[in-house]
Amino acid sequence: MINSKTTGTDKQNPISSESVCRALLRKKIISREQVKETLEKIDVLKRKIEKSRLKKDPSGINSAADVSIIDIIVSQKYQRADGSLKIADEDVIYQALAEEWGLPFKKIDPIKLNLNIVTTTIPRSFAMKHKILPVSVENGCLTVATPDPFNIEVFDDIARAIQMRVIVVVSSKSDIIKLINEFFGFKRSIAAAEHEFAGPSVDLGNLEQYFRLSSADELPSNDKHIINAVNHLFSYAFDQRASDIHIEPKRNISLVRMRIDGVLHSVYELPKNVHSAVVSRIKNMSRLDMSEKRRPQDGRIKTDKGNTAVEMRVSTLPVAFGEKVVMRIMDPDILFQELEQLGFTPTDLIRYNQFINMPHGIVLVCGPTGSGKSTTLYSTLRHLSSPGINITTVEDPIEMIHEDFNQIAVQPAVDITFATILRNILRQDPDIIMIGEMRDIETAQNAVQAAMTGHLVLSTLHTNDAPSSITRLLDLGIPPFLIQATLVGILAQRLVRKICPHCIESFEMECAELSAMGLEVGGKSRVRLYRGKGCINCRGTGYFGRTSIFEVLPYSETIKKMTTAGTDLQSMRSKAREEGMVTLRENAVKKLLKGITTYQEVLRVTWERV
């Protein structure tokens, strides 16, 4: 047996200072100079880390863990000695050590962890003391992750207690500590809340009512356990780069799902009897009516994500088994970007800049829900904003508050709609008006009127491509001569997932095979494409983050002449392409050939008319 408590000078101990440094030298993670510097300053650096931990956690609970040589090396942020420009971070170090020790390394994906396996297999105090996290149970074996795989006696104790074989994988210490705190903390809060609400109950929601006399069927929204559980959900969503949080009541459970890079992932299954309390807490935070459960409601929450203020748009909706809550996370780092970072090609960016710098007229941004229209509009408005310009927006609801804009929320209850408020906005001396959506004839007419009287109007339409927006305006009832007089240009867009930069690889594919799928990539016989193999950073998906693809249609004189009551959309589309319009699919193929995305993503989000 190898004792993990042997001193740092014991060269037989694989996690001693000397053994770790030798292993990292062999793997070219750090250099000899860096090793020498670390060992010379080891005592000073150790005290510095301990002091820093006590500042963050005055109780000393989490800072009580011994500071290891690995912690010290990580704190120095050394550049790796293998010639790459990357830093020798904790994951890299533990991955190299795992190879040296002949053990698998696992970057734990919290989304894939089972809450019950993590929290019911071993006690929290035991897990934290020995830095052990249960990961999964398969074929009668328990897999546990730890930064110290040489605690043989501890693993033997676990195996005897649970009557299972224990398989050990190596993970970074900070991940283990963080996940133990988060999962056990969340489980404790939910369990405590469930205990307070214990007792016979039947809750089948709105469509399957069960009559029960004199029962207080809700936990108070200010219950500390519920507050802790909801706070955990928020911080967890921020850590996982989620754009939406769904809390969905089912017959026997409440399901929590999160949308990451456009794909929904199931995260938790909560006990059904705490669902109402969680919803009430969220309603309380977003200033909604907690007593109203029969009608949909909309609200917002402002909170912190690190050092950034983040807003969450909250929507509640009565469904079969209770109230469903969806929270859209509005991250200012995503919503407000430089136009150059959005994904335009150089030519399309020049054209779009020409649109938005016109003194008056209508610019339309088109695409389905979730295609990035809000990001484009907000980024455009911030690009245009200056002390000399008055920008007014009408939104349903306001997605992100920005002090440079005068933002108005649609409130039909008091007759503030897209259509009615536009008349009042024109008396407010605006230069630029942003209308959330042109959804009816009255809104479109008022937008046209604003453009005719010398204002730049930005708005959205839900159409599949740019030329379709012209026929949509005609369908709404706008006369062709008014469209010709006011429309400046149209931008259609979609979001595609980007290939993970950490596991990107190239491969060759037959052009004929791509052509059969509708992707024209040129006259070559074979083409080099890219994909993500799947790694710890992208959860094995091969994708990390998203970017936009655009279709920019300048409203030229030729297209104006084609705008009539009997407009032929296909002829207009052909003429636009003759004049240089690059379609969504063509721009997506450019990103495909540059190694930004995959052909599967191009096919998923674009389509071509035949």
Side-chain angles (χ1 to χ4, degrees):
M1 183 188 74
I2 301 170
N3 183 3
S4 66
K5 299 299 181 185
T6 51
T7 64
T9 57
D10 184 356
K11 295 183 181 180
Q12 298 304 312
N13 177 12
I15 58 172
S16 68
S17 298
E18 286 83 355
S19 296
V20 167
C21 287
R22 281 199 305 272
L24 295 180
L25 272 173
R26 278 194 294 271
K27 295 290 182 183
K28 296 185 178 179
I29 302 299
I30 55 176
S31 64
R32 292 189 180 278
E33 293 75 17
Q34 291 165 343
V35 168
K36 184 180 177 184
E37 179 186 352
T38 301
L39 294 177
E40 284 176 354
K41 300 179 181 177
I42 192 166
D43 292 331
V44 175
L45 294 172
K46 184 175 179 179
R47 285 195 297 271
K48 186 178 177 182
I49 294 171
E50 287 173 342
K51 193 174 179 181
S52 173
R53 287 184 182 177
L54 281 169
K55 271 187 183 178
K56 292 179 182 176
D57 180 20
S59 67
I61 294 173
N62 294 328
S63 55
D66 292 338
V67 177
S68 69
I69 183 64
I70 299 170
D71 297 327
I72 292 169
I73 294 170
V74 169
S75 72
Q76 295 303 99
K77 297 182 179 178
Y78 288 131
Q79 186 172 325
R80 283 163 57 172
D82 58 3
S84 72
L85 299 177
K86 296 178 181 177
I87 300 297
D89 60 24
E90 194 175 12
D91 285 338
V92 167
I93 290 171
Y94 275 106
Q95 193 167 9
L97 291 175
E99 288 178 14
E100 185 75 12
W101 298 332
L103 291 168
F105 172 82
K106 184 175 182 65
K107 177 67 176 176
I108 302 171
D109 181 0
I111 294 287
K112 295 177 181 174
L113 286 180
N114 184 303
L115 181 67
N116 287 328
I117 289 176
V118 172
T119 56
T120 60
T121 310
I122 59 177
R124 181 185 189 279
S125 56
F126 185 91
M128 185 60 82
K129 178 181 178 182
H130 298 290
K131 306 295 175 292
I132 295 172
L133 183 78
V135 175
S136 62
V137 174
E138 290 179 13
N139 302 321
C141 298
L142 172 69
T143 299
V144 298
T146 178
D148 179 6
F150 302 102
N151 256 332
I152 307 300
E153 284 185 350
V154 172
F155 302 132
D156 289 343
D157 290 342
I158 295 172
R160 281 193 296 270
I162 65 172
Q163 296 295 299
M164 285 187 191
R165 180 167 163 250
V166 174
I167 298 172
V168 180
V169 297
V170 178
S171 290
S172 64
K173 184 161 76 173
S174 61
D175 279 357
I176 298 291
I177 293 172
K178 180 181 178 185
L179 290 168
I180 289 173
N181 280 327
E182 286 186 351
F183 274 72
F184 278 93
F186 183 68
K187 178 71 174 181
R188 191 166 55 233
S189 297
I190 291 297
E194 188 179 14
H195 175 72
E196 287 188 32
F197 195 35
S201 67
V202 178
D203 179 12
L204 295 180
N206 297 332
L207 297 187
E208 300 180 5
Q209 287 293 342
Y210 179 87
F211 189 78
R212 186 174 55 200
L213 295 175
S214 60
S215 171
D217 63 349
E218 280 189 6
L219 279 170
S221 65
N222 59 355
D223 180 272
K224 65 180 180 180
H225 306 301
I226 291 299
I227 291 172
N228 291 338
V230 172
N231 289 347
H232 168 81
L233 279 181
F234 290 169
S235 60
Y236 189 80
F238 298 155
D239 287 345
Q240 302 305 313
R241 303 182 295 110
S243 61
D244 301 83
I245 307 171
H246 294 235
I247 303 175
E248 305 173 351
K250 305 298 181 185
R251 187 184 298 274
N252 300 313
I253 59 164
S254 181
L255 182 63
V256 179
R257 299 197 290 171
M258 294 181 185
R259 190 178 295 279
I260 303 167
D261 289 338
V263 179
L264 273 173
H265 299 264
S266 294
V267 177
Y268 296 126
E269 289 182 0
L270 305 180
K272 184 63 185 290
N273 55 2
V274 301
H275 175 81
S276 293
V278 170
V279 173
S280 293
R281 171 60 183 165
I282 293 168
K283 282 184 169 182
N284 186 40
M285 295 174 74
S286 51
R287 298 180 182 178
L288 299 180
D289 184 354
M290 287 192 287
S291 64
E292 180 56 75
K293 303 178 186 301
R294 299 168 302 170
R295 292 194 181 107
Q297 296 187 70
D298 294 301
R300 61 193 317 111
I301 298 170
K302 189 164 187 173
T303 186
D304 291 327
K305 173 189 168 186
N307 298 320
T308 307
V310 173
E311 293 193 29
M312 289 188 284
R313 200 174 76 195
V314 180
S315 171
T316 68
L317 185 73
V319 293
F321 298 107
E323 277 188 288
K324 176 179 175 178
V325 179
V326 175
M327 290 169 281
R328 168 68 58 88
I329 299 170
M330 314 305 297
D331 189 339
D333 293 336
I334 294 173
L335 272 178
F336 297 104
Q337 299 184 41
E338 297 299 324
L339 295 182
E340 293 80 4
Q341 297 173 349
L342 292 179
F344 284 102
T345 63
T347 303
D348 283 346
L349 181 59
I350 291 170
R351 288 178 171 175
Y352 185 62
N353 271 311
Q354 289 171 347
F355 296 171
I356 63 177
N357 285 298
M358 295 291 283
H360 56 81
I362 296 175
V363 177
L364 295 175
V365 178
C366 310
T369 301
S371 60
K373 299 189 300 295
S374 295
T375 297
T376 299
L377 283 173
Y378 274 124
S379 300
T380 300
L381 291 177
R382 194 181 71 166
H383 173 78
L384 294 172
S385 68
S386 71
I389 290 179
N390 176 16
I391 297 175
T392 303
T393 74
V394 191
E395 304 172 59
D396 182 20
I398 297 172
E399 301 212 12
M400 173 63 74
I401 294 172
H402 194 290
E403 60 184 21
D404 288 351
F405 316 148
N406 301 291
Q407 293 169 280
I408 303 163
V410 167
Q411 300 177 68
V414 290
D415 199 32
I416 297 178
T417 65
F418 284 122
T420 58
I421 199 64
L422 273 171
R423 302 189 200 103
N424 303 92
I425 288 174
L426 292 177
R427 302 188 193 109
Q428 290 283 312
D429 187 30
D431 296 294
I432 298 172
I433 300 170
M434 193 271 275
I435 303 167
E437 183 185 346
M438 282 197 199
R439 55 177 66 159
D440 54 49
I441 178 61
E442 195 176 358
T443 304
Q445 285 174 336
N446 282 305
V448 166
Q449 187 62 36
M452 294 277 287
T453 52
H455 305 91
L456 182 64
V457 179
L458 306 179
S459 189
T460 69
L461 276 178
H462 286 197
T463 60
N464 288 322
D465 60 6
S468 300
S469 300
I470 297 172
T471 56
R472 178 62 59 84
L473 291 177
L474 291 167
D475 291 342
L476 283 174
I478 303 299
F481 74 92
L482 286 179
I483 298 174
Q484 293 166 357
T486 56
L487 189 59
V488 171
I490 305 165
L491 176 77
Q493 70 177 94
R494 297 289 190 280
L495 289 176
V496 292
R497 290 183 290 175
K498 294 192 292 185
I499 298 171
C500 175
H502 305 284
C503 62
I504 188 170
E505 66 174 4
S506 65
F507 67 101
E508 288 194 350
M509 196 166 177
E510 295 288 344
C511 291
E513 190 178 346
L514 289 169
S515 183
M517 292 185 282
L519 301 180
E520 299 298 336
V521 294
K524 303 174 185 176
S525 59
R526 294 179 67 82
V527 65
R528 182 171 294 279
L529 300 180
Y530 300 85
R531 64 191 170 202
K533 290 185 291 186
C535 67
I536 57 179
N537 296 287
C538 62
R539 296 192 182 85
T541 63
Y543 298 103
F544 191 94
R546 292 188 290 177
T547 187
S548 299
I549 54 170
F550 296 101
E551 180 175 286
V552 181
L553 172 62
Y555 194 51
S556 66
E557 289 299 322
T558 308
I559 304 295
K560 281 183 184 179
K561 290 175 183 176
M562 298 179 73
T563 306
T564 63
T567 294
D568 181 354
L569 182 57
Q570 191 59 46
S571 299
M572 185 180 289
R573 191 176 284 116
S574 299
K575 180 57 69 175
R577 294 183 69 176
E578 283 177 23
E579 294 185 345
M581 183 189 80
V582 183
T583 66
L584 284 165
R585 173 159 288 187
E586 288 167 348
N587 271 326
V589 168
K590 289 180 181 179
K591 282 186 164 52
L592 167 68
L593 297 175
K594 287 181 180 177
I596 296 172
T597 191
T598 63
Y599 74 88
Q600 291 94 336
E601 276 294 285
V602 174
L603 292 169
R604 184 179 69 87
V605 302
T606 67
W607 60 284
E608 291 281 284
R609 289 181 180 270
V610 294

